[in-house]
């Protein structure tokens, strides 16, 4: 679910503005099963009955919540040249629970405890991230239908968790200029 609110100036003067806020919330669930069969053992010359199998299951639940407020001011320096300055503050919270079992022998000889790190019970973890991201742009109207511009902007993507590695802490956010 998401919601956004925006307010903008309505004047035709040299100064225009835009301000707003947004909210986003997502709940995700994932249940996976990976089954190793006797054919895998034969590839490694490990004896085992033709019907031998072992399964690793992973159950994950995650809630992501994001809040942001933003604003932008545009100022016409001339009839054709315009300066834009913007700022956005984002706050993200991620809560995750993961439970994974280990494979059984003799599959552990080939795959260790499994594709995913096994857990003892449910692992609950959470993290919050926030970032202030600016924007600066200059545009010039060469003709009625031709606009050129230059923009410097800081982009941000929240950090999070790898459900396959429940013993690891959150990975860091991504940022680009």
């Amino acid at each position: 679910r998401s919601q956004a609110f925006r307010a903008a100036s309505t004047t035709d003067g040299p100064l225009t503005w835009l301000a707003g806020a947004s909210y986003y919330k997502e709940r995700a669930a994932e249940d996976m099963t990976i089954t190793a069969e006797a054919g895998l053992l034969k590839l490694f010359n490990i004896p085992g009955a033709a019907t031998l199998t072992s399964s690793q299951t992973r159950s994950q639940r995650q809630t992501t919540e994001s809040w942001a407020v933003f604003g932008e001011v545009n100022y016409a320096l001339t009839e054709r040249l315009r300066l834009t300055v913007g700022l956005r503050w984002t706050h993200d919270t991620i809560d995750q629970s993961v439970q994974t079992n280990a494979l059984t022998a003799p599959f552990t000889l080939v795959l260790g405890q499994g594709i995913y790190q096994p857990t003892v019970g449910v692992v609950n973890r959470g993290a919050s991230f926030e970032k202030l991201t600016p924007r600066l742009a200059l545009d010039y109207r060469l003709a009625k239908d031709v606009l050129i511009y230059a923009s410097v902007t800081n982009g941000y993507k929240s950090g999070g968790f790898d459900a396959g590695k429940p013993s690891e802490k959150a990975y860091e956010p991504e940022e680009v200029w």
Side-chain angles (χ1 to χ4, degrees):
R1 122 185 101 176
S2 66
Q3 185 67 53
F5 299 96
R6 294 180 1 166
S9 60
T10 57
T11 62
D12 287 335
L15 180 71
T16 60
W17 56 269
L18 169 77
S22 65
Y23 172 76
Y24 170 81
K25 185 172 186 174
E26 176 186 53
R27 289 190 175 110
E30 176 188 56
D31 296 300
M32 297 182 68
T33 300
I34 297 172
T35 302
E37 297 181 348
L40 176 67
L41 298 174
K42 288 183 180 159
L43 289 173
F44 294 92
N45 293 320
I46 299 170
T51 58
L52 187 62
T53 64
S54 180
S55 294
Q56 184 177 39
T57 59
R58 182 181 78 194
S59 179
Q60 169 193 253
R61 303 293 180 262
Q62 181 168 298
T63 301
T64 303
E65 195 168 21
S66 180
W67 297 85
V69 291
F70 54 89
E72 181 174 282
V73 175
N74 300 292
Y75 187 75
L77 300 168
T78 69
E79 194 172 293
R80 294 182 173 196
L81 182 65
R82 182 174 64 170
L83 174 68
T84 301
V85 177
L87 201 56
R88 177 186 177 97
W89 173 79
T90 305
H91 179 83
D92 300 314
T93 302
I94 299 172
D95 293 305
Q96 183 186 73
S97 65
V98 179
Q99 183 171 15
T100 305
N101 68 312
L103 287 174
T104 58
F107 295 98
T108 54
L109 295 172
V110 178
L111 297 172
Q113 294 186 341
I115 304 298
Y116 306 112
Q117 291 176 354
T119 62
V120 177
V122 177
V123 173
N124 293 303
R125 54 193 177 166
S128 293
F129 309 93
E130 61 182 59
K131 182 72 178 167
L132 189 62
T133 51
R135 176 175 183 247
L136 179 64
L138 196 59
D139 65 66
Y140 186 77
R141 187 161 303 282
L142 291 172
K144 180 181 177 187
D145 296 331
V146 180
L147 179 78
I148 60 172
Y149 67 91
S151 177
V152 176
T153 305
N154 185 224
Y156 159 80
K157 181 180 177 187
S158 176
F161 297 104
D162 181 345
K165 299 177 180 176
S167 63
E168 292 184 3
K169 65 180 187 170
Y171 56 82
E172 294 298 316
E174 297 176 25
E175 181 180 340
V176 66
W177 279 96

